[in-house]
Amino acid sequence: MTETLRGLYTIPPGIPFVDALADGLLKQSDGSPEMLSTFRVLLPTRRACRNLREAFLRLSNGKPLLLPRMQPLGDIDEDELSLTLSGYENIPDFFELPPGLPPLKRQVLLARLIMKARDLHHNPDQAFALAHELGRFIDQIYIENLDMADLQNLVPDSLSEHWQITLDFLKILSENWPAILAENGVIDAADRRNRLLRILTKHWQKHPPQTPVIAAGSTGSIPATAALLKTIATLPQGCVILPGLDNAMDQESWDALEPTHPQATMKDLLKRLETERKNVAPWPHKKQDEQNEMRLWLTREMMRPADTVDQWKDLQLNEQDRDRLNRSLNNIQRYDCDTVQEEANLIACLMRETLEHDARTAALITPDRRLARRVAMACRRWDITVDDSAGQALSDTAVGSFIRLTAQTVLSGLKPATLLSLLKHRHFCFEKNRRLIEDFEISVLRGPMPAKGFEGLRTTLAKNEKIDGPTRQMIASFINRLDDALSPLMALMEDTHKQNFATLLDAHITLVESLSETTGGVLWQGEDGEQAALFLAELKDQAPLFPPMTSHNYLTVISRLMAGIAVRPAYGSHPRLFILGQLEARLTQADLLIMAGLNEGTWPPEAPADPWMSRPMRKEFKLPAPERTIGQTAHDFVQGFCAQNVVMTRSRRVDGTPAVPARWLQRLDTVLQAAGFDPQDLQKHPYLHYARMLDETDDFCPVERPQPRPPVEKRPRELYVTAIEKWMRDPYSIYARYVLGLRKLDNVEEDSDAATRGTLIHETLQEFITANPDTTPENAADILCNIAKEKLGERLETDPSWTYWWPRFERLANWFADHEKQWRQDTRPQTIKTEISGKVALPGPAGSFVLGAKADRIDQRTDGTAAIIDYKTGTVPGKKAVIAGLSPQMPLEGSILKAGGFAGLGSVKTIGYLGFWQLTGASDPGLPQPLKIDDLNQLCADAREGLEQLIALFDDPDTPYYSLPHFDRAPPAQWQDYAHLARVQEWAALDEGEDASG
């Protein structure tokens, strides 16, 4: 190897790093494949090693090569290291090195330590969350090559009380943690990595390798890595290649660098290497083109430290440089999208366009994992599968969610929504009869929530009278089988005392496997299945270390642990499209580089808040400033910005909240303006328009208001009075219900809403009046309350909504008792009829039409007239609506009574009272609202006549069942059960306020 390889080098941004590195190594090997195989190349990540292999393949045009040994810097191959040290004095240091502490075991041990801390009372969930953060803090200490014992040297007197308490808490690290590690015969993984690096560094210092060693692409942010880089740079055949060191920056700016500057990490590394910029030579590669030179100049200006930004006011370019910069800007695009989804669609459009060109590649770089998932989903529009290299949390995968759902279902006491989610999960194979599960859902899980446990399900099933015998038996058998499977874990979780973690885990795993029928191991297949199996196996190994905990804590702990495990695809990624995080994207190159999510708080991120130390404490302890993270992401931004073809995207609003552009975009606009360019020129590209046009169409055919005209023989010939108002206000609902036979399903875990409470009040009053037809007892209010309590049963204690509403019912009971005593003074004994049904046949062109009714209450008064009463727990129809015939229920009930349609009241022909009794239990518990009209009997006759006209209208086959023919008369929202079927939201906006005729 030539002497020029020894020392420090840099590859500037904009030059494809791995291609330049591979090209230089091939030149240094003088075309000898044997010599190239003796090189050892240390790179930052495993992905960087793969990228370098692909670079060699590109340079050799696909011909086979003997490649150098490539190894990630942070992942020392211990087998190779042992062979390297064999026969040397450093070998005892290596073999005496304790094993690394597994991450899960460390979290468990730290959680136990936290729970034992004095004056702190943490439950397991809080302890595991703190243990995770404490583990990251420990790693920081090792990364910065600090000693936990120095925590005791921090002076607490100058700190606020809060930080003094935190400092006392951190004593568990300086005082207890080393002893725990020694007791287990292990050391922290970060500590072990540092020790391995130090052993290798020490060995190479004493025994320099006789073959070339190249460390490339590392920023040396870890002191142990920086020490190794320093050693490599001094080896006879060693060199260090830095990524993107700016040798052209003016000295004033270099001296004024802040931690948020992209060169700050490089400056710190040079300090550790005890050298200066002038000693870093450019790596031999092809000459930079003018585009790259001007792009570097632009990044240097836009990233100026605060102390030198005043030079922007004197920023002037000659004509030649202006032309060069203008050409450099041609390959930069910027898009400010309205929403995150629009940003994802734009990126997917750009990636799809890349595939139109043979062999071209595109890489999306973003720290926003939600945006990455949106882009992956948007690409599926073209059947393109792109995997996010950052992976997915195990808890969010199909297997992870199934594991959580099994425990959640048991812990919730078989809460319908949770149970239904489990039954419909794709891994639930306990019952393969999906129709049976649907019957179980409709008959048991929908409607008012059953009582807890399997007895609640059985009771609800028994009360459902709409199920036929065979279906009932199948559902009952299914409930019994579920009971047998879930009962072991349920028995443990119903115990509110702390349980042994291993016992809970074993019962949970047994349940998971029984519900998924994993005899063939199907659940544990695939990336998520394999990762889940490894996780549970490790959890079982460490289970004896877990503290006893309640079932709620158990579920929270395993969910938290699964959330910290990433599941990455083993294969199947697209060969030319990539979605990368910032770390994975380092040393990655592509023909099109898309940097997305460029908003403050995302890229760059917020400076992380340290829960353990204040800024003065961190400085005294010699931890780096939190802003260093921003400097590292700034370095990533500069590396990407200098690529050949760059697209930068951001969203103006994120989750409905206005977002602020990344500071670098704002600085870019400022520099371009100072140089005489319009920043808006970067946004004059068509791809955002293309993305928006993907969902646009020239053939716009809005859906029209539905107007079905079924044959007359298919139209309903019998309706109740409660449906007549819907028939007038929304005929389509009658069509959907009685012609199509569609009925709205009950909601899952239906709340005790107004309709349910109204049913309870009606049933309670009916039972009271039936039991007391003659007189009103003195303790009538108590009797009413006892009847309601009996009907509610356990729900009064278990359902919070009923508990909240009960005082209203008590007020209502007292009001009704008093009002009933006064009302009965004008009512004949034995003549009160409740929930009485009646019907009458009306003539129509297509034949007889039957009008039915079920009156809440009909009383015969002392003057021989009838009083029809309707209990209302909600809104009472207005007098004008009743007179106009828009709310005809009460007058139509009167017409049925006058026609003798109510059995047992045939002799009563005169209506003396039509009234609504509003029963709310509010400040005015009850309010009688009689219809004060001079001639109630004529009102009833007019209502019948109007109905006959309506019948005749719809007996005409040309009359359609319009949806909401008059918006000003539309029924309340709770009546519009078929609005989605009628697609009201689609045509109503285009209706221009014109109502349908008819």
Side-chain angles (χ1 to χ4, degrees), residues 727-744:
W727 197 7
M728 291 188 296
R729 294 176 183 265
D730 186 16
Y732 186 86
S733 65
I734 301 299
Y735 165 77
R737 174 66 185 91
Y738 297 98
V739 179
L740 299 182
L742 301 176
R743 183 187 293 272
K744 179 185 176 183

Side-chain angles (χ1 to χ4, degrees), residues 302-343:
M302 61 189 279
M303 291 295 182
R304 275 190 178 277
D307 290 351
T308 63
V309 292
D310 58 336
Q311 297 184 25
W312 285 345
K313 63 184 179 181
D314 300 325
L315 198 60
Q316 294 182 355
L317 297 176
N318 56 42
E319 285 299 321
Q320 182 181 3
D321 287 342
R322 284 182 57 83
D323 290 342
R324 294 168 62 198
L325 179 57
N326 188 47
R327 288 193 294 271
S328 174
L329 295 175
N330 288 336
N331 292 330
I332 299 179
Q333 302 177 39
R334 173 181 169 180
Y335 298 97
D336 289 67
C337 304
D338 292 332
T339 64
V340 177
Q341 186 58 52
E342 185 175 84
E343 184 180 6

Side-chain angles (χ1 to χ4, degrees), residues 116-173:
K116 294 179 181 178
R118 292 177 304 167
D119 302 325
L120 294 175
H121 304 284
H122 294 293
N123 61 41
D125 173 32
Q126 296 169 327
F128 273 84
L130 277 174
H132 175 71
E133 295 299 326
L134 201 56
R136 294 175 59 182
F137 181 64
I138 292 173
D139 289 341
Q140 266 192 311
I141 292 175
Y142 286 124
I143 287 172
E144 299 303 325
N145 202 21
L146 302 174
D147 192 343
M148 283 188 287
D150 293 338
L151 289 170
Q152 299 176 348
N153 299 330
L154 292 177
V155 181
D157 296 339
S158 59
L159 305 177
S160 65
E161 182 180 355
H162 165 72
W163 291 115
Q164 292 181 31
I165 294 173
T166 305
L167 198 57
D168 289 338
F169 175 76
L170 289 177
K171 288 182 179 178
I172 65 175
L173 295 183

Side-chain angles (χ1 to χ4, degrees), residues 335-350 364 368-382 596-597 599 649-657 687-688 690-695:
Y335 298 97
D336 289 67
C337 304
D338 292 332
T339 64
V340 177
Q341 186 58 52
E342 185 175 84
E343 184 180 6
N345 291 339
L346 164 70
I347 296 168
C349 186
L350 289 165
L364 165 64
D368 188 343
R369 305 277 45 95
R370 291 192 302 170
L371 174 61
R373 288 194 293 272
R374 285 178 182 265
V375 172
M377 292 300 297
C379 285
R380 293 187 182 181
R381 175 197 295 263
W382 302 285
N599 283 324
T649 70
R650 61 173 293 265
S651 302
R652 293 189 180 92
R653 300 183 74 87
V654 178
D655 295 332
T657 304
Y687 286 97
L688 183 55
Y690 294 163
R692 288 170 175 168
M693 291 300 294
L694 285 175
D695 297 318

